[in-house]
Amino acid sequence: MTTPTPDATGTRPDEILVEDLHKSFDAHPVLRGINLRVARGELVAIVGGSGSGKTVLLQHLIAHLQPDSGRVLVADHETAGSPLRDLATLSESELDRIRRHWAVVFQRNALLSGTVLENLSLWLREIHALTDEQIRPRARRVLEQVGLEPERTLALDRSALSGGMAKRVAIARALILEPVLIFYDEPTSGLDPHFASTVHELIAETHARAAALPDGSTAPLTSLIITHDTALLRRLRPRVVMLRDGAVGFDGSYEAFESSRDPQILPYFEQMPMLNRRVVA
Ligand SMILES: Nc1ncnc2c1ncn2[C@@H]1O[C@H](COP(=O)(O)OP(=O)(O)O)[C@@H](O)[C@H]1O
Ligand SMILES: [Mg+2]
């Protein structure tokens, strides 16, 4: 166990700490020494070209993949003081306890076959052992939060959902867990610009909410968003972490990212015509 240390401002403890993370698949190196520190309450966007390892990094943060070398530590909100724990040292049952405070909105939503209510209920029933009577009011509340009409939506089958509705349900399914740490993998990819902007608002509103901890205290939500949606970056102005050549190629404020003259970042912006970037001679 590692005691959380305050971040550079001296006020916020660490939520995630990645140290020299390496990962290869069949001798093809994908992550080649990732170092990343995320403080509690931060809003962080992970950007980078297609295939740069963003989803692979996320899979390490949620312990779906194990590092070849290096460490991934995440705050344990089941223990007083929320100490950082090295995920590789945890048993399955310890991981399950820590995971109670995480939620993931997967790139393709990963909704299960069945109704919206069944999708919203699954983890609450299995992990938190809640009954249907306890789950229904929470399900209605999160559907309202994502702008869906609860009574009409609860009974709908997954197959009846449009792409936009499925994304909302996927976010509702994350919110119903009342997470302390929320991960989004390309939350707006494939959505039309109008609907994408409602997802930007949802992410911003969600991030502004405090999360409840087991001891009755509250913690600011930490949000980590994998994205290449420039409109999202402009709206949320997150800290930006860019993956490049398997490492962190940029880590700084949105403003610093947007105004960077780094020749490696400029072409990235050229693929982002929505961004009203000043012309660089
Ligand atoms: N389970 C896996 N087995 C083998 N290769 C993988 C696996 N997952 C990802 N990769 C490879 O790792 C690289 C990074 O993938 P990914 O993290 O999904 O990229 P992105 O940045 O687009 O999310 C790609 O070359 C991909 O093919
Ligand atoms: Mg990906």
Side-chain angles (χ1 to χ4, degrees):
M1 221 183 266
T2 308
T3 307
T5 48
D7 71 350
T9 64
T11 52
R12 289 175 168 183
D14 291 337
E15 183 69 26
I16 297 171
L17 183 59
V18 179
E19 296 176 336
D20 201 23
L21 170 59
H22 286 74
K23 185 71 174 182
S24 298
F25 295 105
D26 303 323
H28 167 57
V30 175
L31 303 182
R32 302 199 280 185
I34 300 279
N35 290 287
L36 178 66
R37 180 188 289 268
V38 176
R40 191 152 315 144
E42 271 195 292
L43 176 69
V44 180
I46 307 282
V47 305
S50 180
S52 60
K54 303 181 296 297
T55 298
V56 169
L57 173 60
L58 169 65
Q59 287 176 321
H60 283 86
L61 301 180
I62 60 178
H64 284 186
L65 284 175
Q66 294 293 325
D68 292 340
S69 64
R71 299 200 304 166
V72 177
L73 301 96
V74 181
D76 168 10
H77 296 293
E78 287 286 296
T79 300
S82 301
L84 285 177
R85 308 289 303 274
D86 180 344
L87 297 183
T89 66
L90 301 179
S91 66
E92 270 307 312
S93 64
E94 285 178 305
L95 258 180
D96 282 344
R97 286 175 59 249
I98 291 187
R99 280 201 181 106
R100 293 159 71 108
H101 302 283
W102 305 345
V104 187
V105 179
F106 290 100
Q107 191 161 0
R108 289 179 193 81
N109 300 324
L111 296 179
L112 308 165
S113 61
T115 65
V116 169
L117 178 61
E118 283 163 349
N119 269 281
L120 295 177
S121 303
L122 183 72
W123 300 114
L124 290 180
R125 205 174 340 187
E126 300 225 333
I127 303 174
H128 298 264
L130 296 190
T131 63
D132 279 356
E133 291 69 40
Q134 292 169 309
I135 292 170
R136 271 186 177 271
R138 283 172 69 161
R140 288 196 196 93
R141 191 168 65 237
V142 292
L143 287 174
E144 272 171 13
Q145 284 171 4
V146 299
L148 293 171
E149 202 283 299
E151 288 318 316
R152 212 177 60 78
T153 313
L154 279 172
L156 286 180
D157 191 79
R158 176 187 70 171
S159 59
L161 303 175
S162 67
M165 285 178 88
K167 182 57 72 184
R168 285 181 205 236
V169 170
I171 294 175
R173 188 178 58 176
L175 295 181
I176 203 167
L177 300 172
E178 299 180 351
V180 182
L181 178 54
I182 187 163
F183 301 96
Y184 303 85
D185 194 353
E186 309 271 11
T188 53
S189 70
L191 301 179
D192 69 64
H194 172 73
F195 185 66
S197 71
T198 70
V199 172
H200 305 159
E201 297 310 314
L202 256 174
I203 293 172
E205 284 166 21
T206 301
H207 185 73
R209 272 187 217 122
L213 295 181
D215 65 4
S217 64
T218 59
L221 196 79
T222 305
S223 303
L224 199 141
I225 310 157
I226 292 174
T227 190
H228 56 253
D229 176 352
T230 52
L232 181 151
L233 296 178
R234 245 203 334 265
R235 165 67 183 87
L236 299 179
R237 309 185 90 74
R239 169 180 163 197
V240 179
V241 173
M242 185 173 79
L243 301 191
R244 182 168 62 201
D245 302 330
V248 173
F250 175 92
D251 185 352
S253 67
Y254 169 74
E255 289 73 18
F257 185 67
E258 191 262 347
S259 61
S260 171
R261 287 166 166 261
D262 180 335
Q264 301 257 23
I265 294 178
L266 289 172
Y268 186 79
F269 277 97
E270 281 156 16
Q271 295 161 21
M272 300 177 167
M274 297 285 288
L275 200 78
N276 293 320
R277 191 184 168 78
R278 59 176 172 37
V279 176
V280 177

